[in-house]
Every structure is written in structure tokens, then in C-alpha cells.
Amino acid sequence: MHPYSQYFPIRSSKDQLDVVPLFHEALTQGGERIVFEFGSDKWSVDRFARRVASLQNWLEQYQLRKGHRVAVMLDNSPDHIALIAALILSGIAWVPMNTRHKAAGLQYVIDHCKPDLAVAETSYAPLWTEAFKVSEHQCQCVELPGALPEAGLP
């Protein structure tokens, strides 16, 4: 174990200076405890875990694996939070894209981080189209799916 435990309490037997095992453990223990609220919409651990697992399955259809990069340009929403969790748990790098970027700003980030996939709201599609016209790097840009088959965390 890392000597950090001399200064900070051990939170889990799986704690190895990495949030992924802790996050996975918390989600797989499940329960109806509310983990966050978005407006009047309350999300329990179980509900959040099911959405995260569904998004992990969705990401797999793009052959994304540990080490890949996904650029994300979404407005604030529970699905945005769940996508970030799905990326983290899958070992995929989350590249946050500022929703106030113009096409030139998008192009700069695209050319420097070279995402394997971009996930964006439909309203941002024209910006991505414009950015890809001048970008040296190309990738597929998709919208986050609404309903997905429910799944359990791996």
C-alpha cells in the first residue's frame, strides 16, 4: 500500500490511489440512497449505476477501450454525469469541450487531443461540422442516446 495511508484514512480495501475501484465499489453496492438531484429529478445509486452501465455498453459499439479519448460537448444533465462515470469506469479519457467554444476552438482541441469519438448535443452539430472541415484529425461525432437497454455494471 502507498504511504499516503499514513496521512489519510483507508476508505476501502480496493483503494490503490485510483478512484475507479472506489467508484465501482460504491455503484455495485447499490441501493436507493439518493446520490444527486437534478432539478426535481432524484437519482438513486441503483438508477445511476444502471444508466452508467448502459452507457458503457453503448460506448463498446464504437470499439472504445482503455486509453481511447472521447470529446464530450453536452449541456449539464444527469446523462452527462453518467457518461463521465461510464468513461472513467471504462478507462477512457474524458475530454471536456466547452459548450461556448466556437468552431476554431473546437478545431484546436480536436487537433491536439485527437479524440476517438465526439459526443455532442444536436444543437452543437454545426460547430463540429465546421471544425472538422479544417481539422487535421477526423472522428465520428454522435449524439448521446436517450433510452438504452438497462444493464448491470461489469
Side-chain angles (χ1 to χ4, degrees):
M1 180 73 49
H2 192 275
Y4 84 96
S5 60
Q6 297 170 8
Y7 309 102
F8 302 101
I10 302 288
R11 298 164 288 185
S12 164
S13 61
K14 297 177 183 175
D15 193 354
Q16 299 293 319
L17 291 180
D18 185 354
V19 70
V20 174
L22 299 175
F23 204 18
H24 186 267
E25 182 179 26
L27 289 177
T28 55
Q29 288 177 353
E32 291 304 313
R33 181 175 56 87
I34 303 301
V35 288
F36 69 87
E37 295 181 26
F38 192 81
S40 61
D41 192 12
K42 297 179 186 213
W43 283 72
S44 69
V45 175
D46 284 344
R47 181 180 178 198
F48 185 63
R50 286 191 306 271
R51 184 58 177 166
V52 168
S54 295
L55 288 171
Q56 283 182 290
N57 290 340
W58 175 74
L59 289 165
E60 285 179 8
Q61 77 181 2
Y62 296 99
Q63 287 79 46
L64 296 170
R65 301 285 181 262
K66 188 175 186 174
H68 283 141
R69 293 171 298 281
V70 173
V72 178
M73 191 176 200
L74 298 172
D75 294 324
N76 294 335
S77 71
D79 275 343
H80 191 169
I81 298 167
L83 177 61
I84 294 168
L87 292 168
I88 290 169
L89 289 169
S90 299
I92 300 168
W94 166 50
V95 181
M97 303 297 288
N98 188 333
T99 57
R100 296 177 191 233
H101 269 314
K102 303 295 184 225
L106 286 179
Q107 184 229 333
Y108 178 85
V109 176
I110 292 165
D111 286 343
H112 285 82
C113 82
K114 297 179 176 27
D116 299 289
L117 180 72
V119 179
E121 304 272 352
T122 304
S123 59
Y124 302 122
L127 288 173
W128 284 91
T129 301
E130 189 177 336
F132 281 132
K133 283 180 185 174
V134 293
S135 177
E136 296 172 7
H137 179 76
Q138 299 293 307
C139 71
Q140 186 175 3
C141 185
V142 298
E143 187 176 358
L144 193 62
L148 288 168
E150 287 197 358
L153 286 171

